[in-house]
Amino acid sequence: MAETRDALLVAAATVFERVGYHRATVDQVSERAGVTKGALYGHFDSKYALAVAVLDEHERALVRARARMRMAHRHPLQVLVDLGHLYCGQPAARRMLFEAPFCDELATERTERWTRMVRDQLHQVRTRGVLRPDVDPLDAARRIVAALVGVCLMALVLTRPGDVAARVESLWRAWLPSLVRPEAARTLRLGPPVECRGPAHPRT
């Protein structure tokens, strides 16, 4: 059932966030989800498959969030800022993606996809006439993603969750003057969007 799978993903994200992939067990996940271990294996054939599904859900959540923000007619520059917060704001994915074996097998591929999303968003910003003419969207996207990955890595050793949002906000404050016209940057909310202020659940 979809409800059981969703419950397992939420439970797994919580367990992986708290203890990391290597220390987590399928017993911990199934107990937290309120299902049997057999039910877990009915949806995922291994702990690794479950962890990959958590990362997949994080990626889909970014895509869904961007679609919702666009439908709400949020300015593409604000969407870019908010996506940066969402990218860094998922503790489980943040911890897992840069932990072996995922850092070897998945981080490069997923970082490249995230770079393409940022590049596409910068193209949208350009259509609004606020991107500086000398900015190359792909090069800028690579630099932005590298900076956001740095925030994610720093978050692995931070003890206060609010530090992550503050670091992302500082990153945007430093980067935006080199990307967009000053009048565009002045209208933005650089802090986290409402999407970052509560727990993320699959299919929300």
Side-chain angles (χ1 to χ4, degrees):
M1 294 175 61
E3 293 83 358
T4 300
R5 187 179 188 278
D6 288 350
L8 286 165
L9 289 176
V10 172
T14 301
V15 173
F16 291 143
E17 174 193 348
R18 289 181 177 175
V19 303
Y21 172 78
H22 292 290
R23 291 177 58 196
T25 67
V26 292
D27 291 305
Q28 291 171 320
V29 174
S30 58
E31 180 179 352
R32 184 168 187 85
V35 303
T36 65
K37 189 160 64 172
L40 184 151
Y41 282 121
H43 291 275
F44 307 100
D45 59 13
S46 66
K47 183 176 78 168
Y48 180 83
L50 175 60
V52 170
V54 171
L55 292 173
D56 287 343
E57 178 55 37
H58 175 239
E59 194 167 283
R60 286 192 293 269
L62 285 172
V63 174
R64 292 196 299 268
R66 182 173 65 164
R68 286 197 301 269
M69 288 186 277
R70 286 177 169 179
M71 288 181 65
H73 304 293
R74 202 174 295 183
H75 192 286
L77 186 56
Q78 187 67 66
V79 173
L80 177 64
V81 169
D82 292 349
L83 285 173
H85 278 286
L86 291 169
Y87 179 76
C88 295
Q90 296 295 322
R94 198 168 59 216
R95 179 169 185 171
M96 291 162 54
L97 192 56
F98 301 103
E99 178 183 7
F102 306 103
C103 59
D104 298 324
E105 300 175 11
L106 299 175
T108 298
E109 169 196 345
R110 288 169 190 251
T111 300
E112 288 175 352
R113 289 208 292 266
W114 168 238
T115 300
R116 290 193 293 271
M117 182 184 289
V118 172
R119 178 204 61 193
D120 293 346
Q121 199 60 38
L122 285 170
H123 279 298
Q124 290 291 317
V125 173
R126 172 157 282 166
T127 65
R128 295 294 187 97
V130 297
L131 195 70
R132 289 185 177 275
D134 60 335
V135 172
D136 176 79
L138 179 57
D139 179 66
R142 287 171 175 159
R143 293 173 183 270
I144 290 169
V145 170
L148 289 169
V149 167
V151 170
C152 290
L153 292 173
M154 284 295 298
L156 298 179
V157 297
L158 296 176
T159 57
R160 294 179 298 174
D163 286 347
V164 177
R167 286 175 183 272
V168 174
E169 183 173 345
S170 295
L171 183 154
W172 285 126
R173 201 174 301 281
W175 268 95
L176 285 172
S178 67
L179 294 174
V180 300
R181 302 181 189 279
E183 61 273 16
R186 285 196 295 267
T187 66
L188 294 176
R189 169 187 38 76
L190 300 183
V194 67
E195 290 92 337
C196 284
R197 296 172 193 164
H201 298 280
R203 305 181 194 282
T204 57

